[in-house]
Amino acid sequence: MPAPIPRQRAIPAAENGQAPTPAVPGVAPATPATPGETSAGTPSPGAVTKAAADAAASVASPGTHLTLLLIQDDPGGSPVVPELLDATGKPIRVRTARNLTEAERLLTDDVHCILLDLALPAPHHAEDGNDDELAVLKHVLRLAPRHAVLALTASGDAERGTEAVRVGAQDYLFRDELDGRLLSRAIRYAVERKRSDKAERRLTESRLRAQENARLERGLLPTPLLDGSSLRFAARYRPGRSRALLGGDFYDTVRTPDGTVHVMIGDVCGHGPDEAALGVELRIAWRALTLAGLCGDALLGTLQQVLEHERENDEIFATLCTVDISPDGRSAGLCLAGHPAPLLIRPAPASSGSETMAELLPYDNNGPALGLLPGARWPRTQVRLGAEWTLMLYTDGLIEGHIGQGRERLGQDGMVAMIRRQLAQGLRGEKLLRAAVSEVRELNGGELTDDLAVLLLDRLA
């Protein structure tokens, strides 16, 4: 059954723009208005009078039209108030609606404030029930969640007005006590209060979203599993994305029951949220496969299958470096999949005149990055570590920063020289990592655009 269409009242000729408005001394002639909208129209005495237009003129900001929507039942029709001009000479627009159907048609984005008479009959099928005296207000608030709303109620009915504010109106006014000054202030405050409430709500939502993202990303960073090991662990992580905690770089460290310490660092090409998610998947897969007993070529081959299934397109690849440190801590197996070789720091021979020496591990057997060549193989190189050493694993974010304003990049040689200089200054562990990352940023002339991850494993004699 079709819904009944409310009967529309005849719009006076002066209101719909078909006849001129009577001239008033000191006031400009009215310009034509669209049906349901006037330059300054108000209901008959006993409701809102010419004060509404005067108040509107005081709220309009320079260079803009202010539009008010008055929702009030007025079966007898309303005389047209002569057009008023604001301080800039522009007309103030007031739209009037006798019921909610008309109000919904006239409510557009350029309406700044709604003046709602709470005596307006509630809709027959209001969700809150016909016995709810604020059903019409709740309907308007659902209809216009972004607009300021002022409630009009009978004089002395403060309880109903207070309840209207509690439900969502910005303020309430007594219908029979309105004057231009009071209404002007009420409209101004209502519009500003609504704007402030929306800004505060957006700020709160933004903060909550940032907190949730931070907790999520922080939870995705690894917790090293080194129980029972004498090795010391330190790491620094800096995503390239602004205001992010996680990038495409990933790392992890676990100790298996046989005493072997497995360490890994990798880099998914790109540094957006999709790459960060893929890096987390690869890290978790690496940990699971390592704890299951895989290492070397078998492990990397399985990780490549994971990458191929999880990546968005065939152009996505990831570099990886894995080191398996023997239970006695004196040797390790190294696998490189398109990744820079780790840096090994050891005490220098007494004859060298230096306390330490820092050299890159062999990278002649560097295999292809994961995801580039189907069926690829990754040789495993045995490395002699010694009794006392520090192993530094890093991603290319540490070596691909620029040096000054030119195109020259730090590179591996520059990184090794930097670490040697910092070691000569007595820096070790966390202090060494902080100094290295800080100097790389300074050399780059500001924040790095690529993700950066660097970690240290120390074994003391």
Side-chain angles (χ1 to χ4, degrees):
M1 178 178 178
I5 300 176
R7 180 174 58 86
Q8 299 291 329
R9 67 180 175 91
I11 301 176
E15 182 176 346
N16 63 23
Q18 296 177 2
T21 301
V24 177
V27 179
T31 55
T34 57
E37 176 181 314
T38 64
S39 295
T42 60
S44 58
V48 181
T49 61
K50 184 175 178 294
D54 294 335
S58 67
V59 182
S61 57
T64 61
H65 287 284
L66 177 72
T67 302
L68 296 171
L69 176 61
L70 171 66
I71 308 176
Q72 186 177 46
D73 187 21
D74 185 20
S78 304
V80 176
V81 175
E83 181 179 6
L84 301 177
L85 302 178
D86 62 19
T88 64
K90 295 184 178 181
I92 303 302
R93 298 183 297 187
V94 177
R95 297 175 183 174
T96 59
R98 294 187 308 116
N99 52 54
L100 295 179
T101 302
E102 289 184 10
E104 186 172 1
R105 177 173 58 86
L106 299 176
L107 185 62
T108 54
D109 290 338
D110 60 340
V111 172
H112 296 79
C113 186
I114 298 172
L115 299 177
L116 172 66
D117 191 345
L118 296 181
L120 189 74
H124 295 298
H125 302 287
E127 296 178 7
D128 300 289
N130 293 329
D131 57 341
D132 188 347
E133 61 181 5
L134 294 179
V136 63
L137 173 61
K138 295 175 182 179
H139 185 90
V140 169
L141 292 173
R142 287 193 297 268
L143 189 66
R146 296 178 298 173
H147 294 75
V149 177
L150 287 172
L152 299 176
T153 187
S155 297
D157 195 2
E159 183 177 349
R160 190 179 188 189
T162 302
E163 183 65 15
V165 174
R166 189 192 67 79
V167 168
Q170 272 59 60
D171 205 347
Y172 70 92
L173 300 168
F174 294 136
R175 188 184 309 109
D176 301 330
E177 298 180 6
L178 285 180
D179 58 46
R181 185 175 182 181
L182 173 63
L183 189 56
S184 171
R185 185 170 61 250
I187 293 174
R188 184 185 304 113
Y189 288 176
V191 172
E192 290 302 322
R193 191 177 299 122
K194 186 66 176 181
R195 183 182 297 118
S196 176
D197 290 345
K198 289 194 294 185
E200 182 64 26
R201 184 170 60 253
R202 286 195 298 267
L203 180 60
T204 300
E205 292 173 352
S206 177
R207 286 173 176 170
L208 291 175
R209 189 160 48 247
Q211 291 172 1
E212 291 176 357
N213 291 341
R215 284 194 295 269
L216 176 61
E217 292 184 337
R218 193 175 296 114
L220 294 176
L221 290 173
T223 300
L225 300 180
L226 290 174
D227 292 345
S229 173
S230 60
L231 301 182
R232 298 187 307 179
F233 176 87
R236 276 288 180 276
Y237 191 92
R238 184 181 295 273
R241 289 184 296 141
S242 175
R243 291 184 291 182
L245 293 177
L246 201 64
D249 291 1
F250 54 99
Y251 65 88
D252 205 351
T253 305
V254 299
R255 180 177 183 268
T256 48
D258 63 355
T260 302
V261 173
H262 306 263
V263 58
M264 170 272 291
I265 194 167
D267 181 6
V268 178
C269 64
H271 49 270
D274 292 334
E275 289 77 11
L278 182 55
V280 171
E281 292 182 76
L282 292 175
R283 180 187 67 78
I284 294 174
W286 176 87
R287 175 175 284 200
L289 294 171
T290 299
L291 293 175
L294 274 70
C295 67
D297 188 72
L299 173 59
L300 293 179
T302 307
L303 284 178
Q304 174 157 285
Q305 294 181 40
V306 173
L307 172 66
E308 291 171 346
H309 285 292
E310 298 297 333
R311 63 185 177 183
E312 289 189 348
N313 58 71
D314 294 342
E315 296 180 358
I316 301 296
F317 64 90
T319 66
L320 195 70
C321 168
T322 67
V323 180
D324 308 317
I325 303 170
S326 62
D328 63 7
R330 292 178 173 270
S331 62
L334 170 67
C335 284
L336 296 174
H339 200 87
L343 182 68
L344 179 62
I345 303 168
R346 292 182 290 185
S351 59
S352 67
S354 176
E355 293 185 3
T356 59
M357 61 180 188
E359 298 175 338
L360 295 173
L361 291 181
Y363 51 87
D364 296 339
N365 287 333
N366 198 335
L370 302 181
L372 290 183
L373 299 176
R377 304 297 297 271
W378 295 271
R380 190 168 183 266
T381 302
Q382 282 297 124
V383 178
R384 186 71 181 169
L385 299 177
E388 182 177 346
W389 48 264
T390 296
L391 193 62
M392 187 176 88
L393 287 75
Y394 54 92
T395 58
D396 58 7
L398 186 68
I399 60 177
E400 291 192 350
H402 291 88
I403 300 177
Q405 299 299 322
R407 298 180 123 188
E408 184 180 0
R409 298 184 183 272
L410 179 63
Q412 284 184 294
D413 293 339
M415 183 268 295
V416 172
M418 177 187 70
I419 295 297
R420 287 173 177 170
R421 185 175 64 256
Q422 293 169 346
L423 289 171
Q425 298 171 0
L427 300 178
R428 299 291 186 277
E430 288 275 2
K431 293 182 178 179
L432 178 62
L433 286 185
R434 282 198 298 268
V437 174
S438 296
E439 184 168 339
V440 167
R441 290 179 60 207
E442 292 174 3
L443 291 172
N444 190 61
E447 196 60 65
L448 301 168
T449 57
D450 196 7
D451 302 327
L452 181 152
V454 55
L455 59 89
L456 290 180
L457 279 176
D458 288 316
R459 183 179 190 272
L460 302 179

